Amino acid sequence: MNKKYAKYLPSSDNIEINNFPFYWVTQIHQKYVENIDHVLKKYGMDNSRRRILGALLLRPNASVSELSEMLITKMSTTTKLIYRLKDEGYIDTYSCPDDARITRVVLTEQGQEILKKINDLTGIVLEQAFTGLTPLQIEKLLTQLQHIFKNLSH
């Protein structure tokens, strides 16, 4: 391992957890999910189901496998969440006309309404998270995280 990175690795002789970037990535993610789950309780929703609804807003009529890939979740987990959301009336599913083996997922009107409500609440959590940061700092952070993601994707 290159010595210039040794300080940032958990295998370093002088390990300092505060210097390990992925420690902070996981800590931030966990706090974010806790805070999101807390505010979504008002609507009987949680972060996992919110993510499915949000993904469908970005990719209407996505297949179950596309959603699973997009959200980086196991197919079985995604499928369970989809059927729960369907039972709640937030989404609907249908067989793809071109390939009946593919199940497509679509937001219902009720799903679009709940998504608007919960997006307002999640916006509050994001504003709290970004307090004290400038838009430029947030842009730089996004660029750096995307770079690390690309490095890990090879």
Side-chain angles (χ1 to χ4, degrees), residues 76-129:
S76 60
T77 302
T78 304
T79 302
K80 280 188 225 174
L81 291 168
I82 286 169
Y83 283 106
R84 184 168 177 195
L85 286 164
K86 185 175 180 176
D87 289 345
E88 294 169 335
Y90 297 130
I91 63 170
D92 206 354
T93 60
Y94 64 94
S95 292
C96 179
D98 300 329
D99 186 345
R101 297 172 298 173
I102 298 172
T103 300
R104 298 260 175 220
V105 186
V106 63
L107 280 172
T108 62
E109 190 173 315
Q110 185 181 351
Q112 291 172 6
E113 289 173 16
I114 193 73
L115 192 56
K116 286 178 189 172
K117 290 176 184 177
I118 62 178
N119 279 345
D120 289 342
L121 291 176
T122 57
I124 293 167
V125 174
L126 287 178
E127 283 184 32
Q128 176 190 14

Side-chain angles (χ1 to χ4, degrees), residues 2-60:
N2 193 323
K3 287 183 181 180
K4 71 180 180 179
Y5 299 121
K7 168 181 172 177
Y8 307 106
L9 300 174
S11 60
S12 174
D13 290 337
N14 296 324
I15 178 117
E16 175 57 48
I17 195 74
N18 289 328
N19 289 338
F20 185 51
F22 292 101
Y23 167 79
W24 287 111
V25 169
T26 58
Q27 293 298 305
I28 290 166
H29 180 260
Q30 184 57 38
K31 277 294 173 200
Y32 170 76
V33 171
E34 286 175 10
N35 290 349
I36 291 291
D37 280 344
H38 178 74
V39 299
L40 293 182
K41 251 186 210 176
K42 176 180 180 177
Y43 292 109
M45 184 64 61
D46 60 37
N47 188 56
S48 297
R49 289 180 290 149
R50 179 199 64 84
R51 291 180 67 215
I52 297 276
L53 297 176
L56 285 169
L57 190 63
L58 296 173
R59 186 180 266 162

